[in-house]
Amino acid sequence: MNLKKYFIRALHRLQKGPGYTYKELLVWYCDNTNTHGPKRIIKEGPKKKLIWFFLTLLFASLVFWQWGILINTYLSYNVTSSLSIGFKTMKFPAVTVCNANPFKYSEVKHLLKELDRLIEAALERILQPTPGNGSNTSSPPLDLELWHQIPLVLIDEHDKDNPIILDIFESNLAGLSPASVPPQCSHQGSGNCTYRNFTSAAQAVTEWYILQSTSILSRVPLQERIRMGYQAEDMILACLYGAEPCNYKNFTQIYHPDHGNCYIFNWGMDEEALNSSNPGAEFGLKLILDISQQDYIPYLSSAAGARLMLHQQKSFPFLKDQGIYAMAGTETSIGVLVDELERMGYPYSDCTMNGSDVPVKNLYSQYNTSYSIQACLRSCFQNHMIEICGCGHYMFPLPEGVNYCNNEDNPGWAYCYSSLRSSIRHRQICIDSCKETCNDTQYKMTISMADWPSEASEDWIFHILSYERDMSTNVTLDRNGIIKLNIYFQEYNYRTISESAATTIVWLLSSLGGQFGFWMGGSVLCLIEFGEIIIDSLWITVINVISWCKGLKQKRAQARWWRLTPTWASSTRTRVPSPGTRRCPLSPARPHPTTTRCGCSPSTSSGPTAMQKPSERRVTAGCQHCVCVSPAEQSSPLRSN
């Protein structure tokens, strides 16, 4: 009870304003607020009061409308991009060089022997479709097992509505255009096949050969594949960085599925990254490479040259997407400009700092390289390939406990791979899962080429390079296999493209205050006043609820008391007590009982008495159960049942 009284008094002390009704509180607010408009509503006459009420309501609505627009603009988290140009000594980029041909043909010829015979026979059938026009030289029979796994077929589309599929080795191809299609089926003999259309047989043959060679090479151990590739001491003939000589030992070797052995200069894994002392070609990296074009695989690599890429330290080179070719027999000069990108993170953009918040497991982390969106997309595709096809693709890294796909262990892998690669849904899942890096460095290249060496100097240059590599006086190099590279910074100016928040909390507060002050002449103090009246309204509501609950409790108690009141005998005017009620005994030692009003002493009655009729009650000290009697009948005897 004491706690309830204290709480009610505390509410009374906290309640502000002149009264305890909503109307009084509203009038008090309008009369004391600093906001323009409400004062005029209560001080003007009836007509002006109506006009000012309408204007105040209109401008208040405009304020809230403008506030909604401003808050929505702030929560959209827009950014602005700024470009700044700086000048500093910069780290020389990591340079990755590879041969366009992944393996020496002399080293893998025994593995691709049957495949080469098949493709030669298929080309002969395509070029000479009429039986009897082919070569008559006797040759051992073809092993068509590889062919039946992923056949190469032609489609006769003379009848567009009913195209005819023709197997190259089983049909008469006379009169057909050489447009080939390699189908991928879920299993041999199945009608569930996927056909890839090509307008030229050259494209179809290359794609078909890549699929078949991938299946064969995936079963070769990694160390054996490295041995069959181009070694650094054979490929890198000369190296010079600035004024310091270098050699193949300054390069880090990695195995790249597309290009075999690749070599990275200034990768920064084991040593600190090199700085460029000055811009210009004399202070960059100079390389002379031998690509040994005469040892290319004829059906696997149709382009000859070196594949190279400039990238950040400790990042994996994705040469197939971002690399460039350097042509044999030329000197290629590459001038570099640096762009640094700085993106804002969440909630302004969906970028990541290091890939830790990306749900895709990065399979390229086995190289100890940093996160990139290319690594994420390829890891996502490989994970889907393993989940759906039961094996991994040869071109991407493998997690532990998984094998690469091949025709023997996974006959339907080509169909599964082709279906997955063309699936828009799986592609979109990977795009949604992967994120761009928040900070990135891009290298813009300006490329120029010239013939090298010239006809006047090629004799002595080839003699010297052949002697340095093979210790032979005979010329073992030629123009078709030699490449010279010059890589350097054009200038030390670098561009920084950074993002900044277009809307900040300071902008939001100033805009909200500007709109409030313009339309209603208000300020922050006016908002505090408005908050005060809201608090006062809440206190009044609480007090009213407490009063209502108290009145409800009293009504319930009154109803219980009326149910317990005795009945009166109308004939003898003798009150009959209710069952269980007795007359209070009188003690001789105690004073005579006095008569009091019912409800004057709640502690001596059996129930609430505040609402009793104005009859009187006999009270005896120590009595716990008394009955009410009228003054005229105090001497009337009580009748017990």
Side-chain angles (χ1 to χ4, degrees):
M1 181 65 69
N2 294 332
L3 182 62
K4 184 190 297 185
K5 291 181 179 179
Y6 175 78
F7 181 66
I8 294 175
R9 291 173 182 172
L11 293 180
H12 280 265
R13 286 196 301 267
L14 289 174
Q15 200 276 334
K16 306 296 182 181
Y20 293 95
T21 64
Y22 295 106
K23 181 178 179 181
E24 292 174 344
L25 182 63
L26 183 61
V27 171
W28 174 84
Y29 170 76
C30 294
D31 192 36
N32 291 274
T33 183
N34 292 317
T35 306
H36 302 319
K39 288 184 179 181
R40 306 296 296 271
I41 295 177
I42 64 173
K43 293 184 179 297
E44 298 292 345
K47 294 182 179 180
K48 287 188 176 182
K49 182 180 296 187
L50 181 63
I51 295 174
W52 277 104
F53 176 79
F54 173 76
L55 292 176
T56 303
L57 184 63
L58 174 63
F59 291 143
S61 301
L62 288 175
V63 168
F64 285 112
W65 175 57
Q66 291 292 327
W67 280 4
I69 294 176
L70 293 173
I71 294 174
N72 184 61
T73 303
Y74 173 75
L75 294 179
S76 62
Y77 298 110
N78 295 323
V79 298
T80 57
S81 298
S82 60
L83 175 64
S84 61
I85 299 177
F87 180 86
K88 67 177 180 179
T89 300
M90 292 180 290
K91 291 182 178 180
F92 196 78
V95 180
T96 300
V97 292
C98 311
N99 201 320
N101 184 63
F103 305 104
K104 293 181 179 179
Y105 188 51
S106 58
E107 298 290 341
V108 298
K109 190 173 183 179
H110 65 286
L111 298 173
L112 305 177
K113 181 179 179 181
E114 292 299 326
L115 184 61
D116 290 345
R117 292 182 64 241
L118 276 175
I119 199 65
E120 289 171 0
L123 289 175
E124 186 176 357
R125 286 282 292 159
I126 293 174
L127 297 176
Q128 299 175 352
T130 304
N133 292 342
S135 175
N136 295 325
T137 58
S138 61
S139 59
L142 297 173
D143 183 7
L144 297 179
E145 182 179 358
L146 287 174
W147 184 266
H148 291 313
Q149 290 172 348
I150 306 177
L152 191 65
V153 300
L154 294 179
I155 298 181
D156 183 4
E157 294 184 341
H158 288 92
D159 185 358
K160 298 292 184 180
D161 297 330
N162 299 297
I164 302 174
I165 300 175
L166 304 173
D167 192 294
I168 291 178
F169 288 121
E170 298 178 358
S171 305
N172 185 5
L173 309 180
L176 294 179
S177 60
S180 304
V181 179
Q184 292 89 39
C185 302
S186 57
H187 56 273
Q188 187 173 345
S190 172
N192 190 16
C193 300
T194 299
Y195 293 87
R196 292 189 61 196
N197 297 321
F198 298 92
T199 57
S200 172
Q203 296 173 328
V205 166
T206 301
E207 289 292 326
W208 180 84
Y209 195 91
I210 290 175
L211 279 174
Q212 295 285 15
S213 62
T214 295
S215 174
I216 295 172
L217 295 172
S218 64
R219 300 194 297 268
V220 180
L222 176 60
Q223 294 301 322
E224 183 66 15
R225 278 179 274 153
I226 293 175
R227 186 193 64 81
M228 294 186 300
Y230 293 87
Q231 306 305 312
E233 57 269 24
D234 298 330
M235 182 176 174
I236 303 173
L237 302 181
C239 176
L240 184 67
Y241 179 70
E244 298 293 330
C246 52
N247 54 34
Y248 68 91
K249 296 180 181 179
N250 298 107
F251 289 75
T252 303
Q253 184 268 335
I254 64 168
Y255 178 78
H256 199 286
D258 291 308
H259 301 286
N261 293 335
C262 294
Y263 303 96
I264 307 177
F265 178 80
N266 196 34
W267 202 12
M269 286 294 185
D270 302 324
E271 298 178 356
E272 288 292 330
L274 299 175
N275 292 325
S276 180
S277 57
N278 281 300
E282 297 301 320
F283 301 94
L285 177 66
K286 299 181 177 64
L287 293 175
I288 298 178
L289 307 176
D290 178 24
I291 62 173
S292 300
Q293 189 177 158
Q294 69 279 2
D295 208 9
Y296 271 34
I297 301 175
Y299 302 109
L300 185 62
S301 303
S302 57
R307 189 78 165 170
L308 63 101
M309 176 182 169
L310 308 182
H311 54 97
Q312 286 182 281
Q313 279 74 28
K314 298 182 180 181
S315 64
F316 190 86
F318 294 95
L319 292 103
K320 194 170 185 179
D321 299 331
Q322 300 172 332
I324 61 172
Y325 279 110
M327 190 170 61
T330 62
E331 177 177 352
T332 303
S333 296
I334 302 175
V336 181
L337 294 175
V338 180
D339 286 346
E340 295 181 352
L341 304 180
E342 298 177 357
R343 300 182 181 91
M344 297 191 68
Y346 181 84
Y348 295 95
S349 65
D350 192 20
C351 68
T352 179
M353 295 299 298
N354 53 14
S356 58
D357 55 342
V358 176
V360 179
K361 181 182 178 181
N362 186 11
L363 300 179
Y364 290 85
S365 59
Q366 57 186 274
Y367 295 98
N368 295 324
T369 54
S370 58
Y371 171 86
S372 65
I373 190 171
Q374 292 85 1
C376 180
L377 291 174
R378 283 158 178 77
S379 299
C380 180
F381 179 85
Q382 184 76 309
N383 291 331
H384 287 167
M385 182 90 179
I386 294 170
E387 180 182 353
I388 297 174
C389 305
C391 56
H393 195 273
Y394 169 72
M395 294 297 175
F396 311 115
L398 278 181
E400 295 182 1
V402 182
N403 297 322
Y404 284 120
C405 299
N406 60 78
N407 293 336
E408 293 183 2
D409 300 331
N410 313 96
W413 77 270
Y415 169 80
C416 182
Y417 164 69
S418 180
S419 301
L420 186 62
R421 187 173 66 171
S422 59
S423 173
I424 299 178
R425 184 177 68 88
H426 287 93
R427 191 184 314 164
Q428 190 62 41
I429 291 175
C430 292
I431 293 174
D432 295 338
S433 301
C434 295
K435 301 179 181 179
E436 285 277 5
T437 54
C438 293
N439 298 322
D440 191 17
T441 300
Q442 296 181 353
Y443 298 99
K444 306 297 183 182
M445 295 177 286
T446 302
I447 303 173
S448 60
M449 291 182 294
D451 289 339
W452 185 88
S454 63
E455 293 181 359
S457 58
E458 66 178 3
D459 184 58
W460 70 267
I461 289 178
F462 288 150
H463 267 93
I464 290 178
L465 293 177
S466 299
Y467 178 79
E468 290 176 345
R469 187 183 69 170
D470 303 325
M471 300 301 293
S472 173
T473 57
N474 297 324
V475 176
T476 57
L477 301 173
D478 56 35
R479 181 179 295 274
N480 292 328
I482 207 77
I483 297 174
K484 185 176 181 181
L485 297 175
N486 297 323
I487 304 171
Y488 55 92
F489 282 121
Q490 283 185 306
E491 54 187 27
Y492 270 178
N493 291 337
Y494 67 95
R495 299 187 304 175
T496 301
I497 303 173
S498 58
E499 292 181 347
S500 59
T503 56
T504 62
I505 189 66
V506 176
W507 173 88
L508 178 63
L509 292 177
S510 61
S511 300
L512 294 178
Q515 293 295 327
F516 188 40
F518 177 75
W519 292 107
M520 298 193 68
S523 63
V524 176
L525 294 178
C526 297
L527 295 178
I528 296 176
E529 291 175 353
F530 187 72
E532 182 185 17
I533 190 177
I534 293 177
I535 295 175
D536 293 344
S537 300
L538 292 176
W539 289 133
I540 292 176
T541 303
V542 171
I543 293 174
N544 291 338
V545 170
I546 292 176
S547 300
W548 178 80
C549 293
K550 185 177 180 181
L552 182 63
K553 183 178 179 181
Q554 290 177 350
K555 289 181 180 179
R556 290 178 179 176
Q558 177 184 2
R560 281 199 309 271
W561 177 254
W562 280 110
R563 287 196 299 269
L564 296 176
T565 54
T567 59
W568 294 84
S570 58
S571 58
T572 61
R573 298 185 61 82
T574 302
R575 182 173 57 85
V576 180
S578 59
T581 304
R582 63 183 178 84
R583 181 182 293 273
C584 298
L586 299 178
S587 174
R590 296 183 181 274
H592 191 274
T594 59
T595 56
T596 59
R597 302 285 296 179
C598 289
C600 60
S601 180
S603 61
T604 60
S605 64
S606 60
T609 59
M611 301 299 296
Q612 294 295 326
K613 293 182 178 180
S615 59
E616 293 186 2
R617 178 179 58 180
R618 180 171 300 167
V619 182
T620 304
C623 179
Q624 297 297 324
H625 299 282
C626 300
V627 295
C628 294
V629 296
S630 63
E633 296 176 344
Q634 290 184 4
S635 59
S636 300
L638 291 173
R639 294 186 300 174
S640 60
N641 295 330

